[in-house]
Amino acid sequence: MLQLRGVHVGYGRTAVVHGVDVEVPDGAVVAVMGHNGAGKTTLLRAAVGLLPVRSGAVLLGGEDVTRWRPHQRVRAGLAYVPQGQQSFGQLTARENLQLVADVAGPAGARRLDEALDLFPALRGLLGRRAGLLSGGQRQQLAIARALITGPRLIVLDEPTEGIQPSVVAEIEDAVVQLAGAGGLSVLLVEQHVGFALAASSHYYVLESGRVTAQGAGGVAQEGDVRAAMAL
């Protein structure tokens, strides 16, 4: 589904990501982990087209999209949920979702319903302004909104940051369900090692913009990942 091949990315004269290879197969959840400043978000921004790739390639569904703009990648089936539980705070939760559903056309209403099935707690909050929701509720709303676009790949940047543990578990369950239904792929950037490994089938560890470890997901790998991140 998504392949990053030898990707180099930076800001101005500063190189941040150095020749990284990451692959997200169809229907898989792949986690990228690392400390703050490791280059995780920079890598995601390059994958979705918000930062230019200096060298290397980004392939989506086997097609080279390295020079495509973000909206072209969205039309090709990519959805991006950045850090920060982003929403239109003055609009209700329903209005936040309906804005995307209207653009999605005839399939929008069905996808909105499916997104609410994934996050049933949102059904009781649809009339509340998004700015008054908790951080966890806003994160669920942001993921639900992205799903209404009907993506083949969803990119999640730190979805559990600053969120209470009970909601972290709900988001983890949702991520696992997404990958198990309809072949949707998930690229997950996450510092919460336990969550990332429980949800993913494969992981990569970034350190100073380079992949320093990778392997099969699963909670049994947590010790190895923590050791790699301590280097």
Side-chain angles (χ1 to χ4, degrees), residues 138-188:
R138 288 197 305 274
Q139 186 64 275
Q140 290 175 322
L141 180 64
I143 297 172
R145 195 171 60 230
L147 291 173
I148 295 172
T149 66
R152 295 186 293 158
L153 168 74
I154 186 166
V155 178
L156 305 176
D157 191 1
E158 301 280 9
T160 68
E161 184 181 33
I163 292 175
Q164 58 269 41
S166 61
V167 179
V168 169
E170 292 175 13
I171 292 175
E172 179 185 324
D173 289 344
V175 169
V176 172
Q177 286 183 55
L178 288 174
L184 180 66
S185 303
V186 181
L187 177 57
L188 169 70

Side-chain angles (χ1 to χ4, degrees), residues 50-93:
L50 294 173
L51 278 176
V53 171
R54 293 180 174 180
S55 63
V58 179
L59 282 75
L60 185 61
E63 186 166 10
D64 189 338
V65 301
T66 309
R67 304 302 169 200
W68 288 19
R69 295 182 180 276
H71 71 273
Q72 294 173 299
R73 302 186 198 199
V74 169
R75 284 202 297 264
L78 186 151
Y80 176 45
V81 181
Q83 288 176 282
Q85 304 103 41
Q86 296 186 9
S87 62
F88 300 103
Q90 296 302 312
L91 300 182
T92 66

Side-chain angles (χ1 to χ4, degrees), residues 2 22-23 42 48 110 120 156-157 178 217 228:
L2 177 70
V22 168
E23 182 170 355
T42 298
V48 302
R110 172 179 54 80
L156 305 176
D157 191 1
L178 288 174

Side-chain angles (χ1 to χ4, degrees), residues 124-138:
L125 302 168
L126 291 176
R128 186 175 300 180
R129 279 191 355 206
L132 299 178
L133 300 178
S134 71
Q137 291 163 347
R138 288 197 305 274

Side-chain angles (χ1 to χ4, degrees), residues 91 94-112 145 148-149:
L91 300 182
R94 183 187 299 279
E95 289 167 339
N96 268 267
L97 298 174
Q98 195 64 52
L99 279 173
V100 184
D102 289 344
V103 174
R110 172 179 54 80
R111 292 175 187 164
L112 193 159
R145 195 171 60 230
I148 295 172
T149 66

